[in-house]
Amino acid sequence: MQRAAQRDDRARDQRAKRLRRALVCAAAVPAVLITAACSSDSGDSKDKSGAGAQQSASSGSTQQPSASASPTVQAAAYKKLPEPCAVLSKNTLTDLVPKGAKSGKEGTSDDTTTRSSCSWSSLDNNGTKGSQFRWLNVSLLRFDSDASRGPGEKQAHTYYTQQVSDAQSVSGAKNTKSQPVAGAGAEATAVRYDLKKKEGAFKQQTVVARVENVVITLDYNGAGLAGEKTPDADDLAKAAEKAVKEAVAAISAANGEGSAGSSSTKPSSSPSKSASKSPSSSASPSKSATAKN
């Protein structure tokens, strides 16, 4: 009986120990899980915050507005024009318009720094033998560089091409011929043709020249009226080409290069890249002498 009681006591003691161990283990499991969970959350949080910071830094660098350079164009070479009625020397005017060398009439312009012109007329009356008539017009058009329109020289080249084309396609013109002119700026073309009018047979010469960002259009025509003989077209052409070279030199001199009267024309490579406001390339100074006579 006593032994049985001792066995019962031992059994109760063993059960009590097992129960305590179970309770201790049970209490330990949530702590481990919590620790693991915390450890896992902490790692995720760290990774997330690191990735977020990296993403934020990355997006910050892409979203930062970059200072893009505004488009610029090379400034035009020439900033002003000479006095239009002073681009030709007295001797040249006497050769071209002998009775009208002092009759230069300046054309109207709202801005003489970009557009100007001057015209002369001469009537040499030989009485019953008739008269020799001459008419001369010099038009100047300067182009400024502009970010939207482009370099001044490129605009001038486009206008130069247009003026040559206009001279080659005058209505009613006969025997039209064109040829390049050397020593008159970056590019120059002489166009000649015959034109019959009620006053007589006119010999027309149009010389278009470009020097940097300026275009010169020189119109020169002559006619023998009331029985006078028609002037020689070759002589008129030589006189017109000489005059346009003087005009080119006058533009260079007005902008501090060379001197008027010398043909200091520095040929420039085809339209260079050039900034500021410019006249529209559609603007056209006098088209040709025929429209005026």
Side-chain angles (χ1 to χ4, degrees), residues 236-260:
L236 296 180
K238 289 176 185 176
E241 290 179 17
K242 176 187 174 184
V244 86
K245 290 176 183 178
E246 274 192 26
V248 166
I251 291 168
S252 296
N255 287 273
E257 294 181 9
S259 60

Side-chain angles (χ1 to χ4, degrees), residues 130-214:
S131 305
Q132 283 291 334
F133 174 78
R134 299 289 184 274
W135 185 80
L136 171 67
N137 185 81
V138 178
S139 295
L140 310 173
L141 187 62
R142 185 181 67 83
F143 294 84
D144 275 324
S145 297
D146 182 85
S148 60
R149 299 175 191 269
E153 289 186 30
K154 183 177 179 181
Q155 296 177 64
H157 171 74
T158 300
Y159 181 71
Y160 161 84
T161 304
Q162 175 190 321
Q163 287 292 89
V164 172
S165 178
D166 286 348
Q168 292 170 332
S169 56
V170 171
S171 177
K174 304 290 185 184
N175 305 317
T176 302
K177 297 178 183 177
S178 302
Q179 64 181 34
V181 178
E187 51 190 341
T189 301
V191 181
R192 57 196 282 186
Y193 53 85
D194 300 335
L195 196 64
K196 186 76 175 176
K197 302 171 111 179
K198 64 179 182 180
E199 297 89 349
F202 284 77
K203 298 290 184 179
Q204 171 70 33
Q205 316 293 320
T206 297
V207 186
V208 185
R210 178 182 71 83
V211 52
E212 304 296 349
N213 56 308
V214 178

Side-chain angles (χ1 to χ4, degrees), residues 22-284:
L23 290 173
V24 168
C25 287
V29 169
V32 170
L33 291 175
I34 290 170
T35 302
C38 290
S39 172
S40 174
D41 288 345
S42 172
D44 289 348
S45 172
K46 188 183 213 177
D47 290 344
K48 285 177 186 174
S49 67
Q54 188 173 11
Q55 183 178 2
S56 173
S58 169
S59 92
S61 64
T62 56
Q63 289 175 6
Q64 181 113 11
S66 60
S68 59
S70 57
T72 58
V73 214
Q74 182 182 339
Y78 292 144
K79 302 297 182 186
K80 58 183 178 179
L81 296 174
E83 291 293 329
C85 293
V87 295
L88 301 179
S89 68
K90 181 180 178 181
N91 288 341
T92 297
L93 288 172
T94 300
D95 287 343
L96 272 67
V97 282
K99 297 297 182 179
K102 296 180 181 180
S103 68
K105 182 179 180 182
E106 186 171 346
T108 58
S109 173
D110 54 359
D111 183 1
T112 55
T113 66
T114 58
R115 176 197 298 275
S116 63
S117 65
C118 190
S119 62
W120 299 258
S121 62
S122 170
L123 184 64
D124 187 0
N125 193 336
N126 295 314
T128 57
K129 293 182 179 179
S131 305
Q132 283 291 334
F133 174 78
R134 299 289 184 274
W135 185 80
L136 171 67
N137 185 81
V138 178
S139 295
L140 310 173
L141 187 62
R142 185 181 67 83
F143 294 84
D144 275 324
S145 297
D146 182 85
S148 60
R149 299 175 191 269
E153 289 186 30
K154 183 177 179 181
Q155 296 177 64
H157 171 74
T158 300
Y159 181 71
Y160 161 84
T161 304
Q162 175 190 321
Q163 287 292 89
V164 172
S165 178
D166 286 348
Q168 292 170 332
S169 56
V170 171
S171 177
K174 304 290 185 184
N175 305 317
T176 302
K177 297 178 183 177
S178 302
Q179 64 181 34
V181 178
E187 51 190 341
T189 301
V191 181
R192 57 196 282 186
Y193 53 85
D194 300 335
L195 196 64
K196 186 76 175 176
K197 302 171 111 179
K198 64 179 182 180
E199 297 89 349
F202 284 77
K203 298 290 184 179
Q204 171 70 33
Q205 316 293 320
T206 297
V207 186
V208 185
R210 178 182 71 83
V211 52
E212 304 296 349
N213 56 308
V214 178
V215 176
I216 303 163
T217 304
L218 184 144
D219 289 306
Y220 182 49
N221 65 39
L225 307 179
E228 253 286 26
K229 66 179 182 180
T230 301
D232 184 77
D234 289 337
D235 290 342
L236 296 180
K238 289 176 185 176
E241 290 179 17
K242 176 187 174 184
V244 86
K245 290 176 183 178
E246 274 192 26
V248 166
I251 291 168
S252 296
N255 287 273
E257 294 181 9
S259 60
S262 68
S263 70
S264 60
T265 59
K266 57 172 186 179
S268 68
S269 48
S270 63
S272 64
K273 319 228 172 236
S274 323
S276 160
K277 195 174 180 184
S278 111
S280 162
S281 51
S282 63
S284 45

